[in-house]
Amino acid sequence: MSAQPPLLAVEDLSVEFRTRSGTVQALDRVNLELHKGKTLGIVGESGSGKSVLSYAVLGILEAAGRVTSGRAVFGGLDLIAATEAERAAVRGREVSMIFQNPRAALNPIRRIGDQIADVLKRHSATPRTELKARAVECLAQVRIPDPERRYGAYPYELSGGMCQRVMIALALACNPALLIADEPTTGLDVTTQAAVMDLIVELAAARHMATVLITHDLGLAASYCEHITVMHAGQVIETA
């Protein structure tokens, strides 16, 4: 047990959704913690509450969802009780997320370099005159070939693996303390899956960044994570 307080501590977190058929309990008193520089795998089948947990922590639940109890303390701030302005100051800067399906997450009619520049402009102190150069640097860090040319590419011009690398570049642009990767290898072939995961782990280690890997693949989590939390029907059923 580390003597340092955890970077993220989720305590008795419960979430429900209102549906036409009634109320659905998505999370039921979930507890977990993650320390700086460590990697946690959250594993479970579809519908087990893995992604809902991350959305609740970041304050981006769908309108039908609401947190009914619990806390999510990040760096001393309870993100559940925080105002939207306080959460917005944390998202993108201190906590970033790689969403499922990068093609859907990226703006299809905006150049990928401009999308990274948008993140830098919103969440960092990068001077306007340096935004493009910094965005190109972000693309180079995730090993996208010829990053200066790729800056002007649109998502549809890139492969699935390259789009996922762009999502990683977006998430890491402001050097967050915590990265949440939600099914980052979905839809990728086995070789590309390994390359993407190796890249995430390498960059996290170099930046001493805490990482949450959300996946249905226990083998993947076991290969890349120091600790694993298994979820089922909105509850944590095992922690290792």
Side-chain angles (χ1 to χ4, degrees), residues 9 70-83 86-87:
R71 306 198 309 158
V73 180
F74 171 79
L77 174 67
D78 180 3
L79 295 173
I80 304 302
T83 65
E86 289 173 326
R87 284 192 293 265

Side-chain angles (χ1 to χ4, degrees), residues 7 30-32 36 58 62-64 86 88-89 93-94 110 112-113 136 144 160 165 203 222 228 235 240:
L7 177 68
V30 169
N31 291 274
L32 60 83
K36 184 177 181 179
L58 290 175
E62 295 178 8
E86 289 173 326
R93 183 191 299 270
E94 296 293 332
R110 191 158 175 75
I112 61 170
V136 170
I144 289 182
R165 287 175 184 265
L203 292 173
I228 296 176
Q235 295 182 316

